[in-house]
Amino acid sequence: MVQADVAKAVESPEEDKSLEWEPRACEASWWQTRQSRESLVERLLGLFTDPTAGLIRDKTRRRGLSKLLDWLEGQPGETWQDRWMASGADAAGSEWTDLPLAGRGAIKRHQRDELATGLVLLVAGQAIRPSYPWLLRQRLTVMLAETRAASDPDAFRQLEQSAQHATIAARSDALNKLTWIVIRKGGLVRDITVGDCIELTASLEEHHFRGSAGRPLFYALLKETGVLPASAPLRLRALRIEGRRSVEQIVDGYGIECRAVRNLLVEYFTERAPELDHVSLRSIARNLCRLFWRDLEIHHPGIDSLRLAPEVAQAWKERLAYIRDVDGHPVRPRVNFRSELVFVRAFYQDIARWAADDPARWAHWAAPCPIKASECATKKSRSGVKSRMDQRTRTQLPLLPALLRAVDQQRKDAENRITAARATPAGERFLVAGQEFERCRSGQANRVYATEVTTGRRRNLTHEEEAGFWSWATVEVLRHTGIRIEEMLELTHHSFIAYTLPTTGEVVPMLQVAPSKTDAERLLLVSPELAEVLTAVIFRVRAGHAALPLVSAYDVFEQTWSPPMPFLFQRRYGTEDRPLTRSYIRECLVATSQSAQITVAGNPLEWRPHDFRRIFVTDAIRSGLPPHIAAKICGHAALDTTMGYAAIYPEDVISHHRAFIARRRTERPSEEYRELTPTEWDEFLAHFELRKVALGTCGRDYATPCQHENACVRCPLLLVEPAQMPRLQEIHANLVDRLQEARDQGWLGEVAAIETTMAAAAQKLEAMRDRAAQPSTVHLGMPDFRRDAGRSSAEFKD
């Protein structure tokens, strides 16, 4: 039951954040701040001083508390908190001591220290509760320590023990944040809520403590010790990242003025939402709401219909064609201009189609589309993209071995550097691969730093070793599998499956790729090389533990959090384990590209994750893998998509065509490929002599008989010569006489035959006249074959 609640909270943090995760309201009055001066002084001095010790610190605290209370009593308000806020000290921040000391001449340092000491007692004793901006500007360690000792010492002691695995800096940061919450909200540690943690993090980000805002140990401690409810997300980051927004929230974010069109867009996106991921939905909403309709409202106030006048539509297209600055001036042409038009055209077409199915709901919005199909044609641009991608793949494929050597060497060099640095005391020098370094003092985060002796540059060897390893693992996994980057990052320890071959019974390892872009999972064979890489990844992530850590990954497309899973691609980040992100992988590959120094035409070559998918498909098809198998491995629904990834070389076409001819020859009878005999060659030459007839040349194939029984005038294979026109005219005249004789004698069968011959003769005469009317050409005649042409018999050899 607890796991189900956690999964629900992880998947929909935005909804819970708006309903359940509200911070506690700041109380206007509480018993400590309502105490009289005598009671307050007695309580604070009893908590924070020891009269019998006679310490100078206690005397300073008494004087500072007395002076501060004297000043606060002169401020308006019924409680000490009211007087503190009315004095303006909270808004003054770190300069608050100037207010009580104003008008007393030159302010000395000990005067400020006394007031600050007195304020420590008021804050730690819960007499006043300063705001977060004031607290974050003070950074008084004594105030935080006294608050922990006076407010809830047992709880803070337990939290500190739970954080022993963290570094000193991380542990101190977590305790300080929890103390700030107790100071601001009051109560005990067990009263802290998820909303309080969100509120503090927002204050840290607002006041430029971004590094501290990203340290989630304080939240993890509250979660581990049971202070936060079971339904709270496991990670603070799940509350900081914006989750899924409703369709109404997406549309309302663009400030559409026409309520009717706003409602139409909400209905439209609600209708399309089931078939789109969340990021795609928001991308289309940006196009239709901001680039299309909101732009029309700005330039045509009061517009409320989708039926656009031609001049209005044309002006909108001209504005859309350019990226513009805040003043509306063109900056540069919009690269995806036609793609933006496609979304608007689809919007109009969807409404027109839905109007036929549900007229009551959509018919009154149906209008002529202002965008023609020709304006959305992207064939040329797609061809250009295909050409550029193919050229990039052809360039990268031969250079892949050089990249593999570079990433492997980079990983080994980084390991050698950090190993040598860890074995070297701080301040001493060590030599690795010809470079001399000086070991820096170890920081509180347990990271290893070293300074290059020659350049003086300080280097984070821990970061370099991590980036080197994950660059190597990324390149190896992508090139062996051809999977997408999001599919690689979603691989878990559960992705390995043992498959038994039905023929031999052999057990082979398979890698199960989770559904991603096409929502279809698939299995890939794990080669020995890939198995070695995945083993190294698992060994690194386990870090000596029995199992991989369970972490939640954020899906940037659906904007949801996954349940805790043993992801393979994860690393230790500060005090928690986090899955690797797409941006981190790209940063590693950029650094690898720069260090590899692989250039093309003098320009450095940058490698991207999707390049290895194209290289995988191209290399697989070149190696003889059938395209439909490659499509199945890559998870493509259409074969054309796979072929679009394959950059086929011209020499590949030639080699594959020659291999096809060779395979076809092996399947044909071997006697067809024997040496010719002199008799067969003579018969072949004689064939051309038999093709010569009175009216021209016969075009029948070699070794085929005459199918028209030498009735050449009728034969369509007769190639007539224009010079033989008089002969054909004589034949035609003779046929006329014979036709008359046959009619006179009543030979009706002969009449039909002669009429057929006369029609063929008339047709050939017409063709000869057309050829004669054409420009004159030189007739080369038939080639003269010598007796020894093409022969290979011994009698003609030297």
Side-chain angles (χ1 to χ4, degrees):
M1 187 65 181
V2 173
Q3 292 181 351
D5 294 339
V6 172
K8 179 179 178 182
V10 169
E11 291 176 359
S12 56
E14 187 67 22
E15 181 180 356
D16 291 340
K17 178 180 175 180
S18 61
L19 298 177
E20 182 180 356
W21 311 138
E22 290 293 335
R24 288 180 292 167
C26 295
E27 297 179 276
S29 177
W30 56 98
W31 72 269
Q32 293 98 328
T33 193
R34 292 193 299 268
Q35 284 187 295
S36 64
R37 175 167 180 165
E38 294 75 11
S39 300
L40 178 64
V41 170
E42 181 181 359
R43 181 174 65 86
L44 295 182
L45 294 180
L47 284 174
F48 303 110
T49 63
D50 185 2
T52 61
L55 298 177
I56 298 178
R57 181 201 65 180
D58 293 345
K59 296 179 181 179
T60 304
R61 288 184 172 184
R62 294 189 188 97
R63 289 196 303 271
L65 179 61
S66 177
K67 293 180 180 180
L68 186 58
L69 292 178
D70 290 341
W71 175 67
L72 287 177
E73 282 185 325
Q75 307 300 324
E78 297 181 357
T79 65
W80 298 108
Q81 176 71 11
D82 294 340
R83 299 180 186 115
W84 167 259
M85 299 302 296
S87 68
D90 193 86
S94 57
E95 305 298 328
W96 72 273
T97 54
D98 293 342
L99 300 177
L101 298 176
R104 298 188 180 184
I107 301 175
K108 298 181 180 180
R109 182 175 178 178
H110 77 274
Q111 295 175 320
R112 296 180 184 273
D113 293 341
E114 285 180 348
L115 291 174
T117 303
L119 186 62
V120 167
L121 304 188
L122 289 179
V123 173
Q126 285 289 306
I128 62 173
R129 295 174 181 174
S131 63
Y132 281 132
W134 188 91
L135 290 171
L136 298 180
R137 290 170 185 162
Q138 302 305 312
R139 314 286 284 183
L140 294 177
T141 305
V142 177
M143 178 187 297
L144 300 178
E146 294 290 0
T147 300
R148 288 194 287 269
S151 298
D152 199 352
D154 295 335
F156 279 107
R157 193 177 303 110
Q158 180 183 358
L159 292 172
E160 186 173 8
Q161 293 175 355
S162 300
Q164 289 300 318
H165 63 281
T167 62
I168 298 177
R171 187 163 61 247
S172 175
D173 177 82
L175 293 177
N176 290 345
K177 289 177 180 176
L178 296 173
T179 308
W180 286 330
I181 296 176
V182 170
I183 290 175
R184 178 58 183 154
K185 298 295 183 179
L188 304 176
V189 171
R190 63 172 178 267
D191 299 323
I192 297 177
T193 66
V194 175
D196 295 340
C197 299
I198 298 174
E199 183 182 30
L200 174 63
T201 303
S203 298
L204 289 169
E205 291 178 341
E206 182 180 354
H207 290 83
H208 308 293
F209 290 96
R210 299 192 182 274
S212 180
R215 297 173 188 155
L217 181 59
F218 79 103
Y219 181 89
L221 292 176
L222 295 176
K223 183 67 177 175
E224 292 174 4
T225 55
V227 174
L228 301 180
S231 58
L234 294 177
R235 297 177 58 191
L236 177 63
R237 190 164 177 260
L239 299 168
R240 298 176 59 202
I241 295 181
E242 180 184 8
R244 296 174 68 104
R245 304 178 66 189
S246 65
V247 173
E248 290 81 1
Q249 290 174 329
I250 295 174
V251 175
D252 291 339
Y254 295 101
I256 294 178
E257 296 177 354
C258 181
R259 195 66 183 176
V261 176
R262 179 263 179 197
N263 295 337
L264 168 67
L265 291 171
V266 169
E267 288 191 60
Y268 176 76
F269 293 127
T270 303
E271 195 76 17
R272 293 204 57 188
E275 64 184 22
L276 299 171
D277 60 63
H278 197 68
V279 171
S280 299
L281 180 66
R282 296 183 66 168
S283 176
I284 298 175
R286 165 189 168 274
N287 180 282
L288 296 181
C289 296
R290 185 169 74 86
L291 298 182
F292 175 57
W293 188 255
R294 185 58 188 149
D295 180 84
L296 290 175
E297 286 188 335
I298 293 174
H299 294 86
H300 305 278
I303 187 171
D304 59 356
S305 174
L306 297 182
R307 189 177 296 272
L308 304 182
E311 60 274 11
V312 173
Q314 184 60 33
W316 168 73
K317 295 174 191 176
E318 293 175 357
R319 293 191 299 271
L320 183 66
Y322 289 89
I323 301 292
R324 302 176 181 273
D325 57 18
V326 292
D327 297 325
H329 301 299
V331 176
R332 65 181 183 276
R334 191 182 298 273
V335 176
N336 58 340
F337 169 65
R338 293 184 181 272
S339 300
E340 305 288 0
L341 294 179
V342 169
F343 291 119
V344 179
R345 179 175 172 83
F347 173 60
Y348 275 83
Q349 290 179 334
D350 288 339
I351 292 179
R353 186 174 66 256
W354 297 344
D357 300 332
D358 190 357
R361 184 180 179 188
W362 303 102
H364 63 284
W365 287 108
C369 181
I371 302 171
K372 301 178 181 179
S374 58
E375 295 177 303
C376 301
T378 58
K379 180 179 179 181
K380 184 176 181 181
S381 60
R382 289 199 306 267
S383 300
V385 172
K386 167 66 174 170
S387 177
R388 292 194 298 271
M389 291 299 100
D390 286 353
Q391 182 58 37
R392 181 178 177 87
T393 303
R394 295 190 187 105
T395 302
Q396 290 178 322
L397 187 55
L399 300 175
L400 182 60
L403 175 67
L404 298 179
R405 291 191 297 268
V407 295
D408 187 58
Q409 189 62 42
Q410 178 185 0
R411 175 178 65 97
K412 293 178 180 178
D413 291 345
E415 290 178 355
N416 294 336
R417 281 194 296 268
I418 196 170
T419 301
R422 285 171 176 165
T424 304
E428 296 188 9
R429 297 184 177 185
F430 60 95
L431 188 66
V432 177
Q435 284 185 305
E436 190 175 10
F437 298 88
E438 182 177 338
R439 172 69 190 275
C440 299
R441 183 175 58 86
S442 298
Q444 294 180 338
N446 290 334
R447 291 187 169 269
V448 179
Y449 292 88
T451 303
E452 292 185 21
V453 175
T454 56
T455 62
R457 184 167 67 97
R458 191 170 182 260
R459 295 171 59 174
N460 187 343
L461 300 187
T462 303
H463 174 75
E464 292 180 4
E465 191 274 335
E466 289 181 350
F469 176 84
W470 291 117
S471 295
W472 169 79
T474 298
V475 171
E476 290 292 338
V477 171
L478 292 180
R479 81 175 183 96
H480 282 301
T481 61
I483 60 179
R484 305 177 181 91
I485 180 174
E486 59 267 22
E487 294 172 338
M488 181 191 73
L489 296 179
E490 291 174 358
L491 293 177
T492 68
H493 210 177
H494 303 311
S495 299
F496 298 97
I497 297 176
Y499 177 73
T500 304
L501 296 178
T503 55
T504 62
E506 179 184 358
V507 178
V508 295
M510 303 290 288
L511 191 65
Q512 184 180 21
V513 180
S516 60
K517 186 175 182 179
T518 58
D519 288 334
E521 65 179 7
R522 59 191 189 276
L523 293 176
L524 303 179
L525 179 65
V526 178
S527 63
E529 296 81 3
L530 178 60
E532 181 180 355
V533 176
L534 295 177
T535 301
V537 171
I538 293 174
F539 181 79
R540 180 185 183 89
V541 174
R542 284 176 56 186
H545 297 89
L548 272 68
L550 300 179
V551 296
S552 296
Y554 182 70
D555 189 336
V556 296
F557 296 104
E558 295 293 344
Q559 295 188 335
T560 57
W561 288 86
S562 71
M565 300 177 67
F567 288 102
L568 297 184
F569 282 78
Q570 60 171 288
R571 66 186 181 113
R572 191 72 177 175
Y573 188 88
T575 58
E576 66 179 2
D577 296 295
R578 292 185 182 180
L580 300 187
T581 61
R582 297 155 61 96
S583 59
Y584 179 77
I585 293 297
R586 290 193 177 95
E587 290 175 2
C588 291
L589 290 182
V590 168
T592 298
S593 302
Q594 295 174 351
S595 62
Q597 297 181 351
I598 300 176
T599 59
V600 176
N603 298 320
L605 181 60
E606 181 178 335
W607 298 78
R608 302 166 188 163
H610 215 66
D611 292 335
F612 300 99
R613 185 169 173 83
R614 298 189 183 93
I615 291 174
F616 175 84
V617 175
T618 301
D619 187 54
I621 294 181
R622 287 185 63 191
S623 302
L625 185 69
H628 66 284
I629 301 298
K632 190 69 174 178
I633 294 175
C634 294
H636 290 152
L639 187 60
D640 291 341
T641 306
T642 306
M643 298 309 297
Y645 275 71
I648 305 300
Y649 293 71
E651 56 266 27
D652 292 336
V653 178
I654 297 173
S655 61
H656 281 75
H657 189 199
R658 294 181 66 181
F660 165 74
I661 294 175
R663 291 194 302 270
R664 187 180 63 179
R665 283 178 175 174
T666 59
E667 297 174 357
R668 298 187 65 174
S670 59
E671 58 268 16
E672 294 186 8
Y673 298 99
R674 59 179 173 79
E675 294 291 335
L676 289 174
T677 64
T679 303
E680 290 172 334
W681 182 251
D682 291 338
E683 291 177 355
F684 176 73
L685 295 180
H687 160 74
F688 293 97
E689 298 176 0
L690 294 176
R691 292 174 62 177
K692 186 65 178 176
V693 294
L695 295 178
T697 304
C698 178
R700 71 178 186 270
D701 295 336
Y702 168 70
T704 58
C706 179
Q707 298 181 0
H708 300 91
E709 300 177 356
N710 299 313
C712 298
V713 178
R714 299 184 184 182
C715 183
L717 296 179
L718 174 63
L719 304 177
V720 293
E721 294 290 341
Q724 300 299 327
M725 185 182 296
R727 182 182 296 278
L728 188 56
Q729 290 174 344
E730 290 180 4
I731 294 174
H732 188 270
N734 187 25
L735 290 172
V736 172
D737 295 340
R738 290 178 57 193
L739 178 62
Q740 185 61 39
E741 179 184 5
R743 287 175 177 172
D744 294 341
Q745 298 296 330
W747 301 332
L748 298 182
E750 188 71 15
V751 170
I754 294 174
E755 287 179 346
T756 302
T757 306
M758 286 180 63
Q763 182 181 6
K764 286 181 171 55
L765 281 173
E766 185 66 25
M768 294 171 74
R769 293 190 186 97
D770 292 341
R771 292 185 62 184
Q774 294 177 357
S776 60
T777 57
V778 178
H779 180 62
L780 299 178
M782 291 295 294
D784 183 16
F785 295 98
R786 298 175 299 169
R787 290 185 67 254
D788 58 344
R791 297 195 176 186
S792 60
S793 57
E795 60 177 308
F796 295 102
K797 292 183 179 180
D798 293 337

